[in-house]
């Protein structure tokens, strides 16, 4: 019976997906519980901050610059029709601070840093380094996972803020310097429309949530990867796919909660 | 603790991120321009507020003097009660009139103050007695058509 077989395989997939969600939650709680080491021996976290945060700087800054420039160009083309080019600054800043900054920075972070984390931990597992640590009574979650988790959580809001800041200057470069929108109205309308708590802090909260989710997914996929070459490559792919989808879905939910009815 | 170049890079990263946040707050956002610490509250009743929203600006002679903090419907008068928070630096006479105005043709709505001549000044919790409601475009068109129709019969 092909129908029954298909149904059974769908059911098995759903059950295993729910199972993995449960495992990931337990893994997340364990990471939180064993986080003490990553603050007591802070150089472990510093090292991870370097490889996740500092190494992502270039891609974040270049991407932010170009996204801001495109926003400036496209925004100008549309706003020109309504004779309100002076609102270009508002459009660029709100678009970046509320949405594009946190979301695009998180997507880049997932593919730049998240995939590296998964591959690193997956390979550690495949070469039995994690088992060796357990043999030496070193808790691998406290020693390997927790510092990476906190590095991701700390660096994500900083990267998103840099993305938005650089993007605003990209929009300024195209809008004011190249096209010739009035500089005064560009900044003053922006300052009048962008609220610190409502827009900027909500953007920071968003990127904090994204940072947590991406890092947990990346670490869990690495820790849970089958200890083979295919297993690690599959886990890396799953990290990028799952965390990208999670970012976009969470973004909708967070936006609906934060900006509804304003 | 020994210093490594790695620490320097992480330091640059963290300082850069915080600098970006401060820049967003001061240059892009309004944290540097508007301060609500010293304020007093007054309220006014309007029969129609049109599209006025909380946080809309309150202007006198075009200068920003405060913000709308709360809008609610008064169930005894069936009028909109608008609470405003005004900057302590600006004092207004008791007979100041509040009008709901529109910036530009289709722009945002704000409250404009017409300053009166009373000796006594507004205090915290006072009510602005003289108000002028928002101009609703449909009402305006309705009046216009009505007056046209009247004009043609005469």
């Amino acid at each position: 019976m092909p129908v029954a077989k298909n149904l059974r395989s769908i059911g098995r997939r759903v059950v295993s997906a729910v199972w993995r969600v449960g495992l990931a939650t337990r893994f997340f709680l364990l990471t939180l519980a064993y986080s003490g080491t990553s603050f007591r021996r802070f150089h472990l976290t510093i090292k991870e901050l370097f490889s996740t945060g500092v190494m992502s700087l270039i891609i974040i800054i270049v991407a932010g610059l170009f996204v801001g420039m495109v926003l400036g160009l496209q925004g100008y083309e549309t706003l020109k029709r309504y004779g309100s080019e002076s609102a270009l600054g508002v459009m660029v800043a709100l678009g970046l601070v509320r949405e594009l900054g946190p979301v695009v920075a998180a997507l880049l972070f997932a593919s730049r840093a998240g995939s590296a984390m998964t591959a690193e931990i997956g390979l550690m597992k495949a070469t039995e380094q994690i088992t060796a640590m357990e043999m030496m009574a070193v808790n691998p979650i406290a020693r390997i996972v927790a510092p990476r988790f906190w590095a991701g959580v700390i660096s994500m809001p900083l990267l998103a803020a840099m993305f938005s800041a650089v993007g605003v200057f990209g929009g300024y470069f195209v809008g004011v310097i190249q096209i010739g929108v009035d500089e005064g109205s560009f900044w003053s309308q922006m300052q009048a429309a962008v609220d610190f708590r409502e827009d900027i802090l909500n953007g920071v909260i968003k990127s904090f949530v994204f940072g947590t989710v991406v890092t947990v997914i990346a670490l869990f996929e690495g820790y849970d990867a089958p200890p083979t070459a295919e297993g690690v490559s599959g886990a890396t792919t799953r990290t990028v796919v799952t965390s990208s989808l999670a970012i976009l879905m969470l973004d909708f939910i967070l936006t609906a909660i934060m900006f509804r009815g304003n | 603790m020994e210093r490594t170049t790695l620490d320097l890079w992480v330091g640059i990263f963290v300082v850069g991120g915080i600098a970006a946040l401060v820049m967003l707050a001061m240059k892009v956002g309004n944290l540097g321009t508007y301060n609500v610490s010293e304020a007093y509250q007054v309220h006014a009743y309007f029969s129609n507020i049109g599209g006025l929203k909380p946080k809309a600006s309150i202007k006198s002679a075009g200068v920003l003097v405060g913000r709308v903090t709360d809008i609610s419907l008064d169930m005894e008068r069936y009028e909109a009660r608008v609470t405003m928070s005004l900057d302590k630096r600006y004092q207004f006479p008791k007979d100041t009139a509040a009008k709901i105005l529109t910036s530009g043709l289709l722009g945002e709505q704000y409250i404009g103050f017409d300053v009166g001549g009373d000796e006594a000044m507004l205090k915290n919790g006072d009510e602005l007695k003289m108000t002028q409601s928002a101009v609703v475009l449909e009402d305006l068109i309705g009046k216009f058509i009505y007056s046209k129709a009247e004009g043609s019969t005469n």
Side-chain angles (χ1 to χ4, degrees):
Chain A
M1 281 293 279
V3 179
K5 201 176 158 194
N6 284 339
L7 275 179
R8 213 177 296 142
S9 86
I10 290 171
R12 201 180 300 127
R13 278 179 171 220
V14 170
V15 168
S16 103
V18 174
W19 206 320
R20 278 174 66 82
V21 169
L23 266 180
T25 312
R26 188 155 67 95
F27 178 79
F28 173 53
L29 294 177
L30 272 179
T31 311
L32 287 183
Y34 292 131
S35 292
T37 324
S38 48
F39 291 102
R40 254 178 284 121
R41 296 171 66 191
F42 201 66
H43 65 272
L44 291 175
T45 312
I46 294 273
K47 201 166 142 258
E48 297 310 325
L49 264 175
F50 181 80
S51 59
T52 53
V54 179
M55 298 306 274
S56 310
L57 266 182
I58 292 177
I59 186 172
I60 289 287
I61 285 174
V62 173
L65 193 66
F66 279 102
V67 167
M69 281 160 70
V70 168
L71 270 182
L73 213 54
Q74 292 281 16
Y76 178 77
E77 289 298 320
T78 309
L79 290 173
K80 195 175 62 181
R81 292 187 202 172
Y82 305 102
S84 45
E85 302 97 306
S86 58
L88 185 67
V90 180
M91 202 198 115
V92 170
L94 278 185
L96 279 165
V97 169
R98 283 185 174 183
E99 289 296 332
L100 288 170
V103 171
V104 179
L107 289 174
L108 291 172
F109 182 79
S111 33
R112 166 69 185 73
S115 58
M117 275 186 208
T118 308
E120 196 181 6
I121 294 181
L123 211 64
M124 279 184 183
K125 196 182 172 193
T127 51
E128 297 186 339
Q129 294 180 42
I130 289 176
T131 325
M133 271 186 188
E134 279 169 352
M135 297 283 286
M136 293 187 290
V138 175
N139 185 338
I141 290 192
R143 178 68 178 76
I144 300 174
V145 175
R148 285 173 172 73
F149 170 72
W150 286 107
V153 170
I154 293 169
S155 53
M156 190 65 253
L158 299 176
L159 288 172
M162 283 189 230
F163 187 97
S164 302
V166 170
V168 168
F169 278 107
Y172 169 80
F173 178 74
V174 168
V176 176
I177 294 177
Q178 287 206 309
I179 298 176
V181 173
D182 181 54
E183 181 171 359
S185 62
F186 184 88
W187 289 114
S188 70
Q189 290 217 13
M190 188 193 294
Q191 283 172 2
V194 180
D195 186 69
F196 178 72
R197 207 178 53 81
E198 198 101 309
D199 299 315
I200 296 176
L201 270 193
N202 274 346
V204 172
I205 293 171
K206 266 189 183 179
S207 59
F208 177 76
V209 173
F210 295 159
T212 313
V213 168
V214 169
T215 323
V216 166
I217 289 175
L219 294 170
F220 175 70
E221 288 291 357
Y223 206 76
D224 193 51
T228 57
E230 286 137 22
V232 175
S233 82
T236 314
T237 313
R238 270 204 306 281
T239 294
V240 177
V241 173
T242 319
S243 47
S244 304
L245 289 180
I247 289 163
L248 295 172
M249 281 189 239
L250 272 175
D251 182 50
F252 172 72
I253 295 169
L254 288 174
T255 308
I257 295 170
M258 287 169 174
F259 299 112
R260 196 185 46 184
N262 282 333
Chain B
M1 256 168 77
E2 56 176 325
R3 290 160 177 247
T4 59
T5 31
L6 197 124
D7 293 331
L8 177 67
W9 277 109
V10 174
I12 290 171
F13 169 62
V14 173
V15 170
I18 291 169
L21 266 180
V22 170
M23 179 259 164
L24 285 179
M26 294 300 173
K27 187 98 178 154
V28 178
N30 56 3
L31 196 67
T33 52
Y34 181 61
N35 193 353
V36 283
S37 57
E38 293 282 304
Y40 62 105
Q41 309 269 333
V42 295
H43 63 273
Y45 291 96
F46 293 93
S47 57
N48 191 337
I49 57 163
L52 193 76
K53 290 188 186 70
K55 290 210 309 202
S57 46
I58 298 163
K59 291 179 176 176
S60 180
V63 180
L64 183 71
V65 296
R67 299 261 178 205
V68 172
T69 47
D70 186 50
I71 297 173
S72 60
L73 183 66
D74 188 285
M75 287 313 284
E76 275 168 24
R77 306 167 62 149
Y78 288 101
E79 284 186 329
R81 184 193 152 103
V82 176
T83 313
M84 296 166 257
S85 156
L86 301 174
D87 197 319
K88 264 254 158 62
R89 285 177 296 167
Y90 304 114
Q91 300 286 331
F92 295 97
K94 267 207 151 63
D95 58 346
T96 296
K99 292 175 171 179
I100 297 180
L101 302 168
T102 311
S103 57
L105 190 59
L106 297 165
E108 214 178 341
Q109 287 189 306
Y110 66 98
I111 293 184
F113 275 3
D114 272 354
V115 179
D118 203 319
E119 300 272 299
M121 292 292 168
L122 280 172
K123 287 191 302 291
N124 195 21
D126 278 358
E127 185 192 328
L128 294 172
K129 294 275 193 281
M130 278 185 284
T131 62
Q132 184 187 310
S133 289
V135 176
V136 178
L137 204 59
E138 285 86 340
D139 285 354
L140 209 63
I141 294 168
K143 266 183 205 154
F144 175 72
I145 292 170
Y146 188 69
S147 67
K148 272 276 168 191
E150 237 175 20
S152 63
T153 49
N154 288 341

